[in-house]
Amino acid sequence: MKAYYIPGYFRLAILSILVVIIISGCGITRGVKDNQALVRKITLKGIDKDFSEAAINYVDKEQQPNNWLNLQFYYLFSKKGKKNIGEAPALLDSNLVEFSRLQIQKFLQNKGYLKAKVSDSIIVKKKKAELVFTAVEGPMFRIRNFKDSIYDPKVKELYRATRKNYSHVNKGGRFDTDSLAYDRDQFYLIMKQNGYFDFYRQYINYLPDSSYNKSVVDIAMTIDNPVDKPAHPVYTINNTLITISKSNGRTDGKADTIQVDSQFRFVDFSGRFKPHTVTDYVFQKKGQLYDLDKQTLTTSRLSELNVFRNVPSPVYEKLSDSTNRLNTKIDIVPLKKMSDRVEAEFLFNGGRYGYNLGNTFTNRNLFKEAAILQVKLNWSVLFDNGDNGVAGGGAGIQNQDFKTGVSLIYPRIISPFNFPNLAKFGVPHTTFASSFQLFYQKGLVERKSFINSITYDFFETGRKQHSLTPINIEFSSGVIDPIARKALLDSNRYSYVYLIGRTTFTSGSQYTFQYNANELNSYKNFIYFRGSLDIGGNALNALTKILNTPKDTLGQRTVFGYTFAQYVKTELDYRLYRSFGGERQFIFRFNPGIGIPYGNSTQLIFEKNFYTGGANDIRAWLPRTLGPGQFNRASYGVDYTQRSRLKYLDQFGEIKLVANAEYRYKLADNFFGAKLKGALFMDAGNVWRLHKQIENPNGEFRFNNVLQSTAIGIGTGLRFDLSFFVFRLDAAFKFKDPQFNGSDQWVFIKHFNELFKAGDFKRAYIQANSTGVDKNGKFVGDSYNFMQLNFGIGLPF
């Protein structure tokens, strides 16, 4: 994900285009003929409030009022229906109004108002129609008696033993045909989970007998036996045939054929898989009762291996004898073994621009074990067109970041210990990973880091996911430019010199817990939680004390001649999701974190610190440009050389507090093939130093200064939902900037007139943060930008 900053003139142009689109659509009836009317409002009267929201959905879709923006897109882009963009006008049709009236009446009757009657009326003004549906519900009918009549004694026993767990049909309750259908579906699933392969919903029938005078209903439920059979047969699993085709779906040529055991026969036309790759995730075992849940589980887990293109549900065939056994057939089409994906992004910010190139190579089936090998390369470069004549500054490459990594992901737990099958709620993974990063910042530092780790991911339940990294070994080193080193030391930035220039070796363990990650793409009411714990250096600390290894000049123990880091770091991500119906949703997110060095360390490793800003965080600031606390870059002093060298210095802290609130809503169902959604958001937070540091004045965390040192950003955004991914554009504005003091922090209010133009405030800012003077005597350097445009793929959280 990259955050992109757009110059003022371009930002203003984008906003102007949006305004033009809005203004152009003022006349919503401009495409309606004189003898037509546009349905703009539906009014329901006399309907119980518990059902009024649902009742409106029974109005025919072509008589539902248009979404205003959908209609504008249709008028602007569809060329009278020649293109499928937006939504055609909902024109009044009296036949569909009558059909809608009958549907609403039937809905109310199904909800227990058996005497309900609905009438309709139409009000037309200026080519705009209002549909009014008025209901006389009458009395609500309730269930007086309920009895069952089940001819198979085993089925009767199963029904009576399980009914209380799901039934919505009870004495005294409202008579509701939807509840009857729900009960029937639930018991159908129970039968399918208990070996009744041949059972169908049609065997279950409800016979209601109503007394209109008393407003009560007696219900008799029957479950019939199959024709010419005294009972419903129970089936068990017999043999299983697994067939893997070639990636083109063909099953020709020679195949690897193996009789795995008494149940499984494995036929592989691709020649690429070992039998256990599939059999480990077939949950219907020989001799067990047929179970629809295990059938579905088998399909789900084989699909989650990400090595198969098509995994249809297993097919069952009855044996011709009278043993009620089922043979299983599973036919699978694999994905291509190799794939390669190239990604590219571009960013520009005033005089700065750059690109990010990435390449991912994937081997989906290493060692015939469905193990996935991924090799990732990423190269980021940032240029600066500015030229202030200052040594270490000027045009050219300002920083480069090169990353490469290799990971081998097994779809099982690989360990010297025996673990039970943990795939009931999700495919477990074991990941062996190595990565190398080289970061270069012009005139300042060159840093290298090398990481090796082993990680286990598994599910405790469908909602609870665990990730454990018992081994995480990191080696990092930095080399500071000698001139920059002197400039940093001259400005008393000793701890920063030590932080970015040190060589560190450490080993540790990490643990992450997630709750409800499976709900993140839904519109339900739920909470999401993610908590992580990262502990490093304890084992090395014990080992060096036992071996009495030498200490460096600062009194810190070393391993192989290098100091090692000792720390604990934790971060939480709590989110509250609330639905307002349809695709309207409110999300609140709280994301705190803290890292504490101890023992053999006085500072966190540079890479372990927290940063804020960017497309998924506090969106009104660029990444790593906010904080810590009330730190202001003007504190670098008036030396242009030093300011230029420190221009790209990362702003970080050991403490992080971020909160986000976002309201999401649908704008248009069809905008050039995508569903267009909108968002309003507010972001707040910052990072702080754990202790007072001379190089970060007012950057330390203090409880009595949290509000004063908190940044606030506001904004709005568009999301283009293409189903398989979401493309996002967010416009965020700085509202409260903690680098200033007092009322000057409320920059959006105090300097609103300078949002898109330069004034006294922006001129004073660039003078206080200038990195030089051009040939015309004007200050050059970072200007103050209120608005930040973020382009990204996927939702921010």
Side-chain angles (χ1 to χ4, degrees):
M1 184 72 66
K2 286 287 182 185
Y4 300 83
Y5 171 75
I6 310 298
Y9 66 87
F10 190 38
R11 289 177 283 159
L12 190 57
I14 291 176
L15 293 178
S16 299
I17 292 171
L18 293 175
V19 171
V20 169
I21 291 176
I22 293 172
I23 293 176
S24 67
C26 288
I28 62 173
T29 61
R30 65 183 186 274
V32 179
K33 298 178 181 178
D34 291 338
N35 62 340
Q36 296 176 328
L38 184 69
V39 179
R40 292 306 299 154
K41 186 177 181 181
I42 296 175
T43 302
L44 301 180
K45 297 180 179 180
I47 297 178
D48 188 294
K49 64 179 181 179
D50 292 337
F51 306 117
S52 58
E53 186 174 340
I56 203 168
N57 294 325
Y58 287 86
V59 177
D60 188 270
K61 184 178 180 181
E62 293 185 18
Q63 299 298 282
Q64 297 276 1
N66 292 99
N67 175 285
W68 180 84
L69 197 59
N70 273 337
L71 190 59
Q72 304 311 319
F73 289 145
Y74 180 85
Y75 286 145
L76 285 170
F77 304 115
S78 287
K79 296 183 179 181
K80 297 183 179 180
K82 292 181 180 180
K83 293 183 179 180
N84 185 29
I85 299 173
E87 186 180 87
L91 299 177
L92 177 65
D93 185 327
S94 58
N95 291 325
L96 294 179
V97 173
E98 170 63 12
F99 175 76
S100 301
R101 181 192 70 80
L102 293 173
Q103 290 297 104
I104 295 173
Q105 181 172 290
K106 184 178 179 181
F107 166 71
L108 293 175
Q109 291 170 352
N110 288 339
K111 288 299 178 183
Y113 298 99
L114 300 185
K115 296 181 180 181
K117 298 294 182 182
V118 178
S119 60
D120 65 76
S121 60
I122 302 172
I123 303 171
V124 179
K125 290 182 181 179
K126 297 180 180 180
K127 297 184 181 181
K128 298 178 183 178
E130 177 185 0
L131 309 184
V132 181
F133 296 95
T134 304
V136 179
E137 291 181 330
M140 177 188 288
F141 281 66
R142 297 190 177 276
I143 299 171
R144 179 172 60 183
N145 294 307
F146 177 87
K147 65 178 181 179
D148 61 66
S149 179
I150 304 173
Y151 299 100
D152 185 329
K154 290 186 177 179
V155 174
K156 178 187 291 187
E157 181 182 358
L158 181 61
Y159 175 77
R160 293 183 176 178
T162 59
R163 181 178 182 273
K164 62 180 179 296
N165 298 327
Y166 61 81
S167 181
H168 291 173
V169 181
N170 297 292
K171 290 182 181 180
R174 174 170 49 84
F175 174 72
D176 185 340
T177 57
D178 289 337
S179 294
L180 299 181
Y182 174 82
D183 276 26
R184 179 173 63 180
D185 288 343
Q186 291 301 303
F187 188 64
Y188 164 79
L189 292 176
I190 288 173
M191 292 289 283
K192 287 289 189 177
Q193 294 162 0
N194 286 272
Y196 291 94
F197 173 76
D198 263 347
F199 189 84
Y200 301 98
R201 290 178 178 84
Q202 289 79 358
Y203 287 122
I204 306 174
N205 293 287
Y206 293 93
L207 302 174
D209 181 14
S210 59
S211 172
Y212 269 64
N213 293 330
K214 296 182 179 180
S215 302
V216 294
V217 178
D218 295 330
I219 298 177
M221 189 276 287
T222 63
I223 300 180
D224 297 324
N225 281 342
V227 178
D228 299 328
K229 289 186 179 180
H232 289 273
V234 176
Y235 288 85
T236 57
I237 300 299
N238 190 46
N239 296 328
T240 301
L241 172 63
I242 299 169
T243 303
I244 301 179
S245 68
K246 298 178 181 178
S247 58
N248 59 9
R250 299 176 62 179
T251 55
D252 54 6
K254 184 178 179 181
D256 294 337
T257 303
I258 301 172
Q259 185 67 42
V260 179
D261 53 28
S262 62
Q263 176 182 355
F264 294 107
R265 187 166 181 261
F266 183 78
V267 181
D268 182 9
F269 287 92
S270 71
R272 289 166 40 192
F273 296 90
K274 292 182 179 179
H276 78 89
T277 302
V278 179
T279 59
D280 283 354
Y281 296 101
V282 178
F283 294 89
Q284 290 269 246
K285 302 302 183 182
K286 190 169 185 175
Q288 293 180 348
L289 291 178
Y290 163 79
D291 187 338
L292 178 63
D293 284 355
K294 291 181 179 178
Q295 172 187 339
T296 303
L297 189 61
T298 296
T299 304
S300 298
R301 296 299 171 263
L302 290 176
S303 298
E304 290 171 16
L305 291 176
N306 293 323
V307 294
F308 300 122
R309 175 161 55 92
N310 186 23
V311 186
S313 295
V315 175
Y316 298 93
E317 296 180 351
K318 303 174 190 175
L319 271 65
S320 57
D321 56 25
S322 59
T323 57
N324 293 338
R325 290 180 294 167
L326 300 171
N327 282 337
T328 307
K329 293 179 63 179
I330 301 175
D331 298 317
I332 306 174
V333 180
L335 288 164
K336 290 183 179 180
K337 185 176 181 180
M338 308 287 187
S339 69
D340 195 71
R341 185 178 74 251
V342 177
E343 297 175 325
E345 296 175 312
F346 181 75
L347 65 91
F348 53 100
N349 181 346
R352 287 177 282 180
Y353 66 93
Y355 58 79
N356 178 49
L357 298 177
N359 186 84
T360 301
F361 167 80
T362 302
N363 181 325
R364 289 193 177 87
N365 189 30
L366 201 65
F367 311 129
K368 295 186 176 184
E369 296 269 2
I372 296 176
L373 175 70
Q374 283 192 335
V375 180
K376 294 185 177 182
L377 299 173
N378 187 272
W379 182 35
S380 299
V381 180
L382 180 67
F383 299 87
D384 195 327
N385 281 337
D387 186 358
N388 53 33
V390 177
I397 295 177
Q398 292 302 314
N399 64 52
Q400 297 185 72
D401 191 3
F402 175 77
K403 300 176 184 177
T404 181
V406 179
S407 59
L408 180 59
I409 307 168
Y410 280 89
R412 59 187 58 87
I413 299 297
I414 296 179
S415 168
F417 309 103
N418 291 325
F419 282 89
N421 191 338
L422 299 176
K424 182 178 180 181
F425 300 103
V427 174
H429 292 99
T430 301
T431 302
F432 301 90
S434 292
S435 65
F436 172 77
Q437 179 179 6
L438 173 62
F439 178 75
Y440 165 78
Q441 202 164 55
K442 183 179 180 180
L444 182 60
V445 68
E446 178 183 295
R447 283 192 63 82
K448 302 175 184 177
S449 63
F450 186 62
I451 302 174
N452 292 280
S453 64
I454 301 175
T455 300
Y456 299 105
D457 298 292
F458 59 94
F459 291 83
E460 178 186 347
T461 68
R463 297 179 181 274
K464 299 178 182 179
Q465 182 179 359
H466 303 270
S467 179
L468 176 64
T469 303
I471 300 175
N472 186 74
I473 301 173
E474 301 183 32
F475 178 84
S476 60
S477 64
V479 178
I480 303 178
D481 179 88
I483 300 177
R485 182 184 182 89
K486 183 178 184 305
L488 289 167
L489 293 176
D490 289 344
S491 60
N492 297 319
R493 302 181 68 84
Y494 302 107
S495 63
Y496 191 82
V497 170
Y498 176 65
L499 183 67
I500 66 173
R502 70 192 294 207
T503 298
T504 307
F505 174 81
T506 192
S507 68
S509 300
Q510 300 167 355
Y511 170 73
T512 300
F513 171 76
Q514 287 191 82
Y515 179 75
N516 266 347
N518 57 317
E519 300 284 7
L520 288 178
N521 294 321
S522 73
Y523 290 97
K524 300 177 182 177
N525 293 327
F526 66 96
I527 62 170
Y528 167 81
F529 176 79
R530 183 181 187 273
S532 64
L533 180 65
D534 184 357
I535 301 176
N538 291 340
L540 290 177
N541 184 57
L543 182 63
T544 55
K545 286 184 176 180
I546 293 173
L547 299 178
N548 194 26
T549 60
K551 298 181 179 180
D552 65 4
T553 55
L554 297 177
Q556 298 178 338
R557 291 199 178 271
T558 61
V559 176
F560 308 122
Y562 301 111
T563 58
F564 64 90
Q566 199 172 358
Y567 64 91
V568 59
K569 178 182 177 181
T570 185
E571 184 175 5
L572 306 179
D573 184 349
Y574 171 86
R575 306 178 202 171
L576 176 68
Y577 289 78
R578 284 293 176 264
S579 173
F580 292 97
E583 298 182 36
R584 294 175 298 149
Q585 190 178 42
F586 173 79
I587 303 98
F588 172 76
R589 177 195 189 205
F590 182 54
N591 180 208
I594 184 171
I596 302 174
Y598 65 94
N600 206 53
S601 298
T602 57
Q603 291 196 71
L604 287 178
I605 303 173
F606 182 77
E607 290 77 12
K608 295 292 182 181
N609 282 279
F610 292 105
Y611 308 88
T612 49
N616 302 318
D617 200 272
I618 302 180
R619 285 162 276 189
W621 277 262
L622 284 168
R624 304 190 176 207
T625 62
L626 175 60
Q630 290 189 262
F631 171 69
N632 190 317
R633 283 179 178 259
S635 64
Y636 290 154
V638 297
D639 187 328
Y640 292 152
T641 301
Q642 180 167 305
R643 281 187 181 172
S644 180
R645 287 190 177 278
L646 304 182
K647 183 177 181 180
Y648 299 100
L649 212 61
D650 290 327
Q651 297 174 218
F652 59 89
E654 297 92 345
I655 298 175
K656 170 186 176 181
L657 289 175
V658 170
N660 312 88
E662 182 164 300
Y663 176 68
R664 299 170 184 169
Y665 53 94
K666 183 176 70 175
L667 289 171
D669 286 315
N670 184 13
F671 180 70
F672 292 94
K675 184 176 289 188
L676 181 61
K677 300 178 181 180
L680 299 171
F681 58 83
M682 175 181 287
D683 307 321
N686 207 335
V687 292
W688 292 264
R689 300 304 304 269
L690 193 61
H691 306 291
K692 183 178 291 188
Q693 302 288 347
I694 192 171
E695 66 263 32
N696 294 135
N698 297 316
E700 73 276 9
F701 181 83
R702 302 195 310 271
F703 283 104
N704 61 358
N705 195 41
V706 171
L707 295 180
Q708 182 76 2
S709 56
T710 293
I712 299 177
I714 59 173
T716 184
L718 296 175
R719 285 88 166 92
F720 303 89
D721 189 347
L722 298 174
S723 297
F724 49 92
F725 73 89
V726 176
F727 175 73
R728 172 165 55 97
L729 168 62
D730 286 334
F733 297 85
K734 294 180 176 70
F735 191 83
K736 177 180 178 289
D737 193 336
Q739 69 175 305
F740 305 114
N741 292 303
S743 62
D744 291 335
Q745 291 189 337
W746 302 94
V747 291
F748 188 85
I749 298 173
K750 192 165 185 177
H751 306 292
F752 184 81
N753 61 322
E754 294 189 42
L755 284 182
F756 300 110
K757 66 177 183 179
D760 293 340
F761 169 70
K762 286 186 176 180
R763 283 191 288 268
Y765 183 86
I766 196 170
Q767 180 177 348
N769 293 273
S770 64
T771 56
V773 179
D774 64 14
K775 59 184 178 181
N776 297 318
K778 292 184 178 180
F779 292 105
V780 296
D782 290 335
S783 60
Y784 193 87
N785 297 298
F786 283 91
M787 181 179 174
Q788 171 69 34
L789 282 180
N790 297 305
F791 295 84
I793 295 178
L795 296 174
F797 45 83

